[in-house]
Amino acid sequence: MTEIITPRHLGATDRVEFPQGFLWGAATAAFQIEGAAHTDGREDSVWDTFCRVPGAVLGGDDGEVACDHYHRYREDVALLSDLNLGTYRFSSSWARVQPGGGAVNQKGLDFYSRLVDELLAEDLLPWITLYHWDLPQAIEDQGGWTNRDTAYRFADYAVTMHEALGDRVGVWTTLNEPWCSAFLGYTGGVHAPGRQSRPDGLAAAHHLLLGHGLAVQALRERAPEANLGITLNFTVADPVDPDDAGDVDAARRIDGQFNRIFLDPVIKGEYPADVLADVEEYGFAEHVQDGDLAIISSPIDALGVNYYHGELVSSRPASTTLDGSAPVERPTSSPYPAADGVFNHPRGLPVTDQSWEIQPEGLTRLLNRLQADYTGPAGVPLYITENGCAYDDVVEADGSVDDQNRLEFFDAHLRAVKDAIDDGADVRGYFAWSLLDNFEWSWGYSKRFGIVRVDYETQERTVKASGRWFAQVASQNAVPARP
């Protein structure tokens, strides 16, 4: 088995201080919290449609109400302030701003304008993500991300958002986790729009990246001083036996089709040759037109890193399995276009209540790799834009939630981040996922990630023990000593 390196701070009890100016925040996404799904002109996104597909989402849950953030945003911004945070990462809903993919909906824009004003009034930095998976269903009906034209429509939407908010918002993220949009949505059928096609997923991946590059160029032209970036989700793929050629190739395939297929074109302006060879039979190269990679690699100012766990893989099946996917009734497929014969093996690590392994040392290795091979040479700072865990919280008789398991998860991962910083990684901020318990995609409302509990019946918010601890971290710019 691959050797696991114990981070220097992991398991330690000492206080760990972060660099001066380190940015502390929490993150959410529009569809997961806003609700008001058909209020003030908003129309269906692909996720509204997907939630109505029998067996696609646990419990038949949907985003019609979610956390009702659309009406309760002032309360939620006050929570952010009470938690001593300096920034809030949120996303805007394309389906709210351009319902049906058509004309701009002023009421939708006005909501985000009010939200930004409220954040600024509380001295919170607005950190906006333009796309967190809520494609207008009308655009999906015209091919969605498999249609090259969607990339250009996305750039137009980015300009629309900047025209409305650019006087007050200086940090812009184009896409959140295009791996999920492309491969969970178009190849695995796990996420909206629920297609199960390897060629479609690959086409979507390229067009998402093209949309990113076009949006960066359009925003850079409008606001040269803006901080522009993209958020990618990453894994750390290790071979079960590093001396076994099959296991090594399995790790290469997962790394290529999860990390490098997005990272290399954005940072290096090229698709990895081995990945192109792996997916050649699905016509991926046909979508890459002259000049596309120059657009995709338009310089960025920040790379968002979303990390939850790594993968231990082999060319041989595991004797025991650990399935971290939602147990939905609707059949799904592998999201990987060219990883047949690759098998995940449990590492024997502790797991969350979502059966995701807890692997903080993987975050240290990931950040060091990014710094050495990608963002360091490019001069691009790193931000942890998502890191968190799902646990089945217990509400005490007095209404409190003493989620020590989540607190320990954050403690371990923040110590792992500090290890990478000490190694020279230019990491400048950390956003807890998530501010609120919310709609967790195909898991529905069955899994809670929030540092603030949401009672979905009453919409009452309760700061959990992890939230109070995180507020102390943000206030002191340090992870406190552990008893």
Side-chain angles (χ1 to χ4, degrees):
M1 180 178 290
T2 299
E3 179 185 3
I4 299 301
I5 302 168
T6 301
R8 294 176 294 284
H9 293 300
L10 184 58
T13 59
D14 55 313
R15 174 185 170 95
V16 176
E17 296 191 3
F18 280 75
Q20 185 175 1
F22 195 81
L23 193 59
W24 298 98
T28 65
F31 189 82
Q32 293 181 271
I33 67 166
E34 283 181 3
H38 297 94
T39 299
D40 290 340
R42 186 187 180 280
E43 296 181 9
D44 278 355
S45 72
V46 290
W47 268 98
D48 294 281
T49 302
F50 190 66
C51 289
R52 295 194 287 266
V53 175
V57 176
L58 286 182
D61 292 342
D62 58 40
E64 289 290 323
V65 177
C67 304
D68 197 30
H69 174 74
Y70 187 80
H71 298 108
R72 298 172 184 265
Y73 69 92
R74 290 186 177 89
E75 176 185 353
D76 294 337
V77 171
L79 276 172
L80 289 159
S81 181
D82 291 344
L83 292 169
N84 304 316
L85 300 180
T87 182
Y88 176 47
R89 177 177 176 253
F90 65 98
S91 75
S92 54
S93 168
W94 194 350
R96 192 178 299 284
V97 172
Q98 288 186 292
V104 173
N105 174 29
Q106 189 59 48
K107 289 184 177 180
L109 281 176
D110 289 347
F111 166 69
Y112 296 109
S113 185
R114 293 193 300 272
L115 174 59
V116 166
D117 285 346
E118 195 75 14
L119 290 167
L120 294 174
E122 294 287 351
D123 200 26
L124 286 150
L125 174 71
W127 188 295
I128 191 168
T129 300
L130 291 167
Y131 187 72
H132 201 129
W133 313 348
D134 42 9
L135 183 72
Q137 179 61 42
I139 296 181
E140 173 61 23
D141 293 341
Q142 297 167 39
W145 287 108
T146 66
N147 183 349
R148 185 179 174 90
D149 184 58
T150 301
Y152 294 87
R153 297 177 74 167
F154 174 71
D156 291 342
Y157 156 64
V159 169
T160 295
M161 291 302 299
H162 194 272
E163 287 174 343
L165 305 178
D167 59 330
R168 289 158 290 160
V169 176
V171 185
W172 297 80
T173 300
T174 54
L175 308 175
N176 178 79
E177 300 184 346
W179 185 86
C180 295
S181 302
F183 295 132
L184 290 181
Y186 287 85
T187 293
V190 178
H191 281 186
R195 296 199 216 178
Q196 297 183 53
S197 163
R198 295 181 179 191
D200 284 357
L202 288 161
H206 179 67
H207 295 147
L208 280 154
L209 287 173
L210 180 61
H212 153 76
L214 291 167
V216 167
Q217 290 188 345
L219 295 178
R220 187 76 72 197
E221 182 177 351
R222 292 182 55 83
E225 74 290 350
N227 184 305
L228 309 179
I230 187 172
T231 281
L232 304 177
N233 54 322
F234 293 96
T235 191
V236 176
D238 294 316
V240 169
D241 181 354
D243 294 323
D244 182 276
D247 289 5
V248 170
D249 187 66
R252 177 197 64 78
R253 285 177 179 268
I254 298 304
D255 179 57
Q257 294 167 50
F258 200 111
N259 299 328
R260 291 182 289 116
I261 193 170
F262 297 101
L263 188 57
D264 283 37
V266 169
I267 302 296
K268 297 183 176 182
E270 61 187 14
Y271 283 110
D274 65 312
V275 176
L276 291 177
D278 288 342
V279 303
E280 183 178 8
E281 65 182 292
Y282 302 114
F284 178 66
E286 298 170 8
H287 299 290
V288 185
Q289 298 185 11
D290 289 345
D292 283 3
L293 285 163
I295 294 170
I296 292 168
S297 60
S298 298
I300 57 174
D301 306 297
L303 177 65
V305 175
N306 290 1
Y307 174 82
Y308 291 94
H309 58 84
E311 318 285 340
L312 185 67
V313 296
S314 173
S315 59
R316 295 154 294 167
S319 58
T320 60
T321 59
L322 187 65
D323 188 359
S325 59
V328 295
E329 297 176 3
R330 181 176 180 267
T332 59
S333 306
S334 168
Y336 294 102
D340 295 341
V342 174
F343 301 93
N344 276 72
H345 287 233
R347 295 180 189 265
L349 297 170
V351 298
T352 69
D353 288 344
Q354 209 171 7
S355 294
W356 290 4
E357 289 191 313
I358 301 170
Q359 189 194 352
E361 59 82 25
L363 180 54
T364 306
R365 287 195 284 143
L366 169 63
L367 293 170
N368 284 341
R369 178 195 184 186
L370 292 172
Q371 180 69 30
D373 297 342
Y374 291 93
T375 54
V380 177
L382 295 162
Y383 292 83
I384 310 300
T385 39
E386 286 184 30
N387 180 230
C389 53
Y391 284 107
D392 298 333
D393 298 323
V394 175
V395 181
E396 305 295 340
D398 62 359
S400 65
V401 178
D402 189 22
D403 58 334
Q404 292 298 315
N405 41 19
R406 184 175 290 106
L407 188 160
E408 291 168 2
F409 179 99
F410 285 127
D411 178 274
H413 283 79
L414 284 171
R415 292 173 185 272
V417 171
K418 185 56 165 57
D419 282 346
I421 293 172
D422 290 348
D423 290 338
D426 186 10
V427 186
R428 300 189 185 180
Y430 179 97
F431 293 78
W433 183 270
S434 170
L435 174 65
L436 303 171
D437 292 337
N438 55 43
F439 177 84
E440 187 48 40
W441 309 113
S442 55
W443 289 90
Y445 296 99
S446 68
K447 297 299 174 187
R448 295 177 179 268
F449 274 85
I451 57 175
V452 175
R453 175 181 169 80
V454 177
D455 182 320
Y456 297 120
E457 296 297 321
T458 65
Q459 294 296 337
E460 182 181 2
R461 273 74 159 143
T462 303
V463 178
K464 303 176 188 179
S466 62
R468 294 193 298 274
W469 177 87
F470 194 64
Q472 179 185 353
V473 170
S475 175
Q476 299 180 358
N477 197 38
V479 174
R482 295 283 287 157

